[in-house]
Amino acid sequence: MTTVPARPPLARSSDRVIAGVCSGLAVHLGWPVKNVRVGMALATLAGGAGLVFYAWLWIMVPTADEAARRNARRPASPIAPAVSQAPAAAVAGTLSALPSAPPGPAPFGQAPLSQAPSNQASLGQAADGGAPQGEDGAAPPGARKPGEPPWFRWQSMKYGKEILLGCGLLLVAGIMIAQLLGVDVPLGTLIPAAAVLGGASIAWMQLDETRRAGLVNKTKADQAGGWARLAAGLALVVAGVLVMVSGSGSWEQTWLALLASVAVLGGVVLVLLPWALKFWRDLETERAGRIRETERAEIAAHLHDSVLQTLALIQRRASSEHDVVRLARAQERELRGWLFQDPGREAGQLSDRIKAVAAEVEDLLGNAVEVVSVGDAAMTEGHEAMVQASREAMLNASRHGGGAVSVYLEASDGQAEIFIKDRGPGFELADVPEDRLGVRESIIGRMKRHGGSAAILSTGDGTEVRLRLPAASTDNVEGKS
Amino acid sequence: MNVNQGAVAQAASSVRVVIVDDHAIFRSGLKADLDASIHVVGEAATVEQAIAVIAEQRPDVVLLDVHLPGGLGGGGREVIAGSVPLLGTTRFLALSVSDAAEDVVAVIRAGARGYVTKTISGAEITDAVFRVAGGDAVFSPRLAGFVLDAFGTAPADIADDELDKLSARELEVMRLIARGYSYKEVAKELFISIKTVETHVSAVLRKLQLSSRHELTKWAAERRLL
């Protein structure tokens, strides 16, 4: 029933009366919408089965928009068809079971309800777990983890659960029809047996998923809230089942049964705990190992792309000291940025801009430009002008100073100051011809236009350009310390 | 005998130095760069070797790489901690390629008298060695920047605990050093003597080493990823 792959995926349609379930289903099955709606209405008459089925589809099936988004996000993942197929399989099973079902189909509707989420979860994880493998690129897939079952086997098993479930539901429906027709079915032995089988299979499926890729990570059950929710859910279910089973029995009876079941649960937990803990630790170790491996690969790739390339260049240009120094400086800068940059820090602050400009000047002229910054500020228009003025000053310092340039940036709540110092022979501002715009226009004029000031102090031992910009009236300056 | 020799050597403005760095290439390069009046009396590549060589040679100055293999993983900090009895006569100058504030502040707080980056020239490092041997502190512009960032750029009130803030004068000196001024230039700019500048720098170093200001450690930790 699910072997036809050309079917459009099941999604709630925007052409809707209530929630778009019927029209979506019609598109998926290729039936006329009217038929589906009538069928649903008829099924509702059969003990409310249609209603339950509708509600279930409403909850489980994504809208067309959501489905499209999911597809767009993970184009190659097997998740989209699987999600749409899983309900389809159950639909077939439920549909065949429901019309003949006696009043009270709710317990049977329950089975697929609890089934489907676990399916989705497992498939989602399979897709996630597949991603790191894909990232290896050159490495042969699966070569790193011999213990993991091959990918294709999982895929061929993909609809196995649904088929199994459908068969089970058909069986149940058959038994009920037989009972209605007067055939004596030993329900007293069948139901407990079915419960045991079902419980065991659900537990084993869960285990399988956990092994595949950290279910806990997905459901966030490792957080306290997750555990609390789990415990509360368990308690509710146990209490509810007890009340139902003891069937309007006396309060004491229910209480005793509750006590007994809690004791049994406690015993089970006690027995399984060591095993679960060991399993958990294995999982953690494996995950940590995988993270380390990924990190190592990333570092290796980065070093290969940057440092090794630069070293090769340096060997080829060994005759030119200037080139070697420049290459080494540029590589050092790049590596430092990569190693020490705080990813959580806001980028594009004043100090970042100054460092970027310094790097540019360094590359251009080959003299080292050392930047020391204290405090930081968010960029404003005035700050940008300041950065441009400092760039001009750095260029002059590097060009005429002929040695290393020191840049000091201090940004606080009140103002930002930048000092650019070189150790060149110095110059007199008065000696600079009127038509040379570098100092007068690009540095002094620019700072003045933005409400700041610039001073140039030149002696025989070097030149220092001092730029100052008071904070704008809007208080958008952020002190670091 | 060693102590005598050290005193005589200093009088003749010759300094005995031990170089601690795990890269042999860097050690030999540094040795070649240093002035002829500086005698390299020992070398070490690990924490254990360094502690042994320093105890044996009792040098005037140890040029100490911040990152070293061996020991408990503490690097240069551990070498200083292992040589505490000698701190009165042997001075440590930290050398690092790392710009990370945590590393630098840690080694200074352990007792180093200064910090310079490995890229500085032979003349500069020679000057720094003599300065440290003479009991002064050596601040690179970057270390001065760290200090300003850690202590804040507002001067101390009189009421403040003096270890937790820099005085107005100390701030001025730190700012000028961060701007790339030499001690001589700082003295000229502030109309004070070089000796006074050295006094201020030493005072800042003392505050950096002794301040219990919890922000200092927190700040350095936050700046781990500069």
Side-chain angles (χ1 to χ4, degrees):
Chain A
M1 61 190 89
T2 56
T3 48
V4 186
R7 215 161 252 181
L10 183 61
R12 283 190 282 124
S13 159
S14 57
D15 164 33
R16 62 187 184 185
V17 177
I18 301 172
V21 167
C22 286
S23 46
L25 196 59
V27 169
H28 176 68
L29 296 175
W31 296 350
V33 187
K34 217 202 291 176
N35 291 9
V36 177
R37 287 195 173 131
V38 169
M40 200 66 89
L42 283 178
T44 306
L45 292 180
L51 209 63
V52 172
F53 177 48
Y54 192 96
W56 178 59
L57 279 185
W58 192 348
I59 294 166
M60 298 313 302
V61 176
T63 61
D65 280 356
E66 285 167 354
R69 233 177 295 139
R70 209 176 308 197
N71 282 341
R73 207 168 48 233
R74 280 180 259 191
S77 97
I79 195 174
V83 164
S84 61
Q85 296 285 13
V91 165
T94 325
L95 270 180
S96 57
L98 283 177
S100 56
F108 300 104
Q110 212 84 36
L113 254 179
S114 59
Q115 182 75 20
S118 70
N119 270 338
Q120 272 182 324
S122 78
L123 288 166
Q125 272 147 27
D128 287 351
Q133 278 195 343
E135 274 170 18
D136 288 345
R144 276 216 337 260
K145 288 188 193 59
E148 203 161 286
W151 185 238
F152 59 84
R153 223 178 71 193
W154 166 238
Q155 270 196 331
S156 71
M157 292 271 292
K158 200 159 63 181
Y159 306 125
K161 280 183 206 162
E162 281 74 31
I163 294 171
L164 218 64
L165 184 73
C167 291
L169 285 168
L170 276 176
L171 205 67
V172 171
I175 290 170
M176 284 180 162
I177 292 169
Q179 210 173 19
L180 277 183
L181 294 178
V183 181
D184 184 31
V185 183
L187 274 181
T189 50
L190 261 184
I191 289 178
V196 167
L197 265 178
S201 62
I202 284 173
W204 278 104
M205 272 188 254
Q206 197 80 5
L207 179 69
D208 200 31
E209 280 157 24
T210 318
R211 180 170 290 151
R212 195 149 275 115
L215 175 86
V216 181
N217 194 22
K218 210 72 180 174
T219 55
K220 293 191 176 136
D222 52 345
Q223 288 163 12
W227 284 114
R229 270 203 301 276
L230 190 68
L234 259 178
L236 272 178
V237 168
V238 167
V241 167
L242 273 177
V243 170
M244 260 167 50
V245 168
S246 64
S248 76
S250 66
W251 174 242
E252 287 107 88
Q253 209 179 346
T254 312
W255 181 245
L256 272 178
L258 194 67
L259 210 66
S261 48
V262 165
V264 168
L265 274 179
V268 168
V269 167
L270 205 65
V271 170
L272 289 186
L273 201 61
W275 176 79
L277 279 180
K278 183 188 172 296
F279 185 73
W280 173 262
R281 268 199 298 272
D282 287 354
L283 194 78
E284 287 288 293
T285 321
E286 192 200 310
R287 199 163 61 175
R290 206 165 44 219
I291 290 171
R292 265 200 304 278
E293 182 74 17
T294 316
E295 257 173 13
R296 210 199 64 82
E298 194 191 324
I299 290 170
H302 183 269
L303 291 185
H304 176 265
D305 288 352
S306 59
V307 178
L308 283 184
Q309 303 281 5
T310 306
L311 287 177
L313 274 175
I314 284 178
Q315 285 169 37
R316 281 171 49 185
R317 306 260 185 91
S319 52
S320 161
E321 192 188 343
H322 185 258
D323 279 353
V324 168
V325 170
R326 199 158 69 174
L327 281 168
R329 287 286 302 177
Q331 182 54 59
E332 180 190 345
R333 221 167 36 230
E334 194 267 344
L335 195 60
R336 267 186 207 291
W338 188 69
L339 285 175
F340 300 123
Q341 194 62 258
D342 183 355
R345 214 171 67 89
E346 210 177 322
Q349 300 272 85
L350 180 58
S351 66
D352 294 328
R353 288 283 295 133
I354 289 291
K355 279 174 189 158
V357 165
E360 192 189 322
V361 171
E362 208 172 85
D363 270 348
L364 210 62
L365 298 172
N367 289 322
V369 181
E370 299 280 0
V371 180
V372 173
S373 70
V374 171
D376 214 339
M379 287 298 289
T380 64
E381 204 182 318
H383 284 137
E384 185 56 40
M386 200 177 188
V387 168
Q388 291 308 323
S390 358
R391 179 176 185 274
E392 194 63 34
M394 285 181 218
L395 280 171
N396 283 339
S398 187
R399 201 175 280 138
H400 305 299
V405 178
S406 301
V407 178
Y408 174 64
L409 158 73
E410 185 179 315
S412 61
D413 294 340
Q415 61 176 6
E417 283 183 295
I418 300 179
F419 302 86
I420 298 104
K421 183 175 168 62
D422 67 65
R423 301 188 170 277
F427 70 100
E428 281 293 325
L429 188 56
D431 295 347
V432 177
E434 283 293 330
D435 57 333
R436 294 293 296 276
L437 294 177
V439 171
R440 234 174 244 115
E441 232 352 83
S442 305
I443 301 178
I444 301 175
R446 185 179 265 148
M447 289 307 293
K448 278 195 179 134
R449 274 198 299 279
H450 287 86
S453 61
I456 292 163
L457 198 91
S458 195
T459 66
D461 295 330
T463 306
E464 189 178 48
V465 179
R466 304 168 177 178
L467 309 175
R468 208 180 79 84
L469 186 77
S473 50
T474 49
D475 196 19
N476 50 4
V477 181
E478 161 204 345
K480 253 262 163 99
S481 52
Chain B
M1 194 252 161
N2 268 331
V3 177
N4 280 343
Q5 192 183 357
V8 170
Q10 211 159 324
S13 82
S14 156
V15 180
R16 301 172 69 249
V17 166
V18 165
I19 300 178
V20 181
D21 194 298
D22 53 328
H23 292 103
I25 296 179
F26 183 78
R27 287 201 306 269
S28 57
L30 188 60
K31 239 159 68 175
D33 270 357
L34 287 172
D35 194 84
S37 58
I38 293 175
H39 300 296
V40 177
V41 295
E43 291 181 31
T46 65
V47 172
E48 290 88 354
Q49 280 178 23
I51 293 174
V53 168
I54 292 165
E56 187 198 324
Q57 291 292 337
R58 297 174 174 270
D60 301 314
V61 176
V62 178
L63 289 170
L64 182 65
D65 189 8
V66 173
H67 292 282
L68 275 182
L72 304 170
R77 190 159 35 97
E78 211 178 318
V79 174
I80 300 179
S83 312
V84 163
L86 301 173
L87 271 184
T89 54
T90 296
R91 273 130 189 162
F92 291 84
L93 176 59
L95 280 173
S96 175
V97 288
S98 163
D99 274 347
E102 191 188 46
D103 295 337
V104 177
V105 170
V107 77
I108 292 284
R109 275 175 82 92
R113 297 290 298 170
Y115 152 81
V116 289
T117 46
K118 280 186 175 179
T119 47
I120 71 169
S121 70
E124 283 172 306
I125 203 154
T126 301
D127 182 57
V129 167
F130 277 116
R131 202 173 284 285
V132 168
D136 292 325
V138 171
F139 273 37
S140 68
R142 196 168 291 280
L143 179 55
F146 287 161
V147 169
L148 287 169
D149 223 350
F151 281 91
T153 45
D157 293 330
I158 297 155
D160 277 339
D161 183 351
E162 62 135 1
L163 283 178
D164 287 353
K165 287 232 170 186
L166 304 183
S167 73
R169 206 54 159 173
E170 287 161 358
L171 274 176
E172 279 178 322
V173 171
M174 282 296 117
R175 277 210 180 94
L176 287 172
I177 292 175
R179 276 155 68 176
Y181 281 58
S182 66
Y183 286 14
K184 204 174 94 193
E185 288 167 322
V186 173
K188 203 170 142 200
E189 177 82 16
L190 298 178
F191 305 106
I192 52 180
S193 71
I194 294 186
K195 201 70 219 159
T196 314
V197 174
E198 286 166 350
T199 310
H200 284 310
V201 174
S202 293
V204 173
L205 184 79
R206 195 174 66 91
K207 287 184 182 180
L208 192 59
Q209 287 171 344
L210 297 182
S211 172
S212 57
R213 198 177 133 103
H214 68 282
E215 283 99 338
L216 193 66
T217 321
K218 189 170 148 260
W219 168 87
E222 277 169 1
R223 277 303 189 87
R224 187 170 56 84
L225 307 163
L226 182 75

